[in-house]
Structures are given as C-alpha cells and as structure tokens.
Amino acid sequence: MMSQANNALAVVSSVALTLPDVKESRTKRGTNWKVKGRLMACEAIHKSAESHSLMVCVSKEERERLIEEHPDSCYLTDHYRAYDALLVRLAKIDEQALRALLESSWRFVREAA
C-alpha cells in the first residue's frame, strides 16, 4: 500500500511513464498524466474527492466493476459521476493494482482518441 502523498504520486508517475506516449505535467492545480495530449489520470482536486486521491479515466462500465471489486480503494463522488472517471485512494492500493488500473486507463484513452 502507498502511504505518503508525495511518495504515492512518485509511484503513480513511475508506473504511468512506462506506458507509451504518456507525458507528465505539473500545474498549480496538481500533477497529471496524458496520452498524446488526452488526460489519463490526475490528482483528484475537486472538493468532493478525499485527500490523496487519484482520478483515473476509465469507462463507466469498468468503473462500476472496479468499485464493486475494490470498495476500499476505488470510489466515486457525484461530481465525477457524469465523467468516464474513477477515484482511487492512493493509500489503499498496491503498486500491482495501480499498474493494472493505469494500463486499463491508457488503453481506454487511446481507444477513445
């Protein structure tokens, strides 16, 4: 499990940047990872998200499956419901599960392009 926020984001970055065409950028609103300019994941910054959460782009179908299978680490708030998005508690997900999730997001974003 990932504990501290900065360490968790470093792990997200190290995993995300192994995927083809992924670029990281940092703004005053947080860090994000994009595939060919399309958002794949970012720090969840909306006030409805729990602190130290990651927003990951996935299909609504996959989101429902992940929330059902991993309710401790995956969740959703009303703000994100309309989007192809999933919220992840970084302190509750291990690196292997994070890798699988980011790979799934990468495929989803590339296919949607």
Side-chain angles (χ1 to χ4, degrees):
M1 301 300 153
M2 290 181 252
S3 55
Q4 298 176 342
N6 288 339
N7 183 47
L9 289 177
V11 173
V12 171
S13 186
S14 70
V15 171
L17 293 175
T18 65
L19 300 169
D21 303 315
V22 172
K23 301 279 189 250
E24 176 181 288
S25 65
R26 294 183 182 154
T27 68
K28 63 182 177 182
R29 299 190 74 184
T31 306
N32 63 67
W33 296 268
K34 294 181 178 181
V35 180
K36 294 189 173 184
R38 294 181 50 107
L39 183 64
M40 180 180 92
C42 65
E43 289 181 74
I45 58 172
H46 190 266
K47 64 184 177 184
S48 67
E50 297 173 18
S51 64
H52 310 303
S53 289
L54 185 71
M55 189 284 302
V56 180
C57 295
V58 295
S59 71
K60 290 180 177 85
E61 295 80 18
E62 183 164 7
R63 172 178 77 195
E64 297 308 315
R65 180 185 66 77
L66 289 166
I67 290 171
E68 185 175 312
E69 291 177 7
H70 307 284
D72 288 345
S73 58
C74 298
Y75 71 104
L76 187 65
T77 66
D78 285 342
H79 171 78
Y80 291 94
R81 194 168 305 283
Y83 303 101
D84 290 321
L86 171 72
L87 295 169
V88 180
R89 295 175 183 101
L90 290 174
K92 302 280 186 170
I93 190 168
D94 64 36
E95 189 171 340
Q96 182 178 357
L98 176 67
R99 178 174 299 282
L101 180 59
L102 289 175
E103 287 172 354
S104 180
S105 178
W106 177 84
R107 282 190 299 277
F108 175 72
V109 171
R110 286 191 48 114
E111 290 170 5

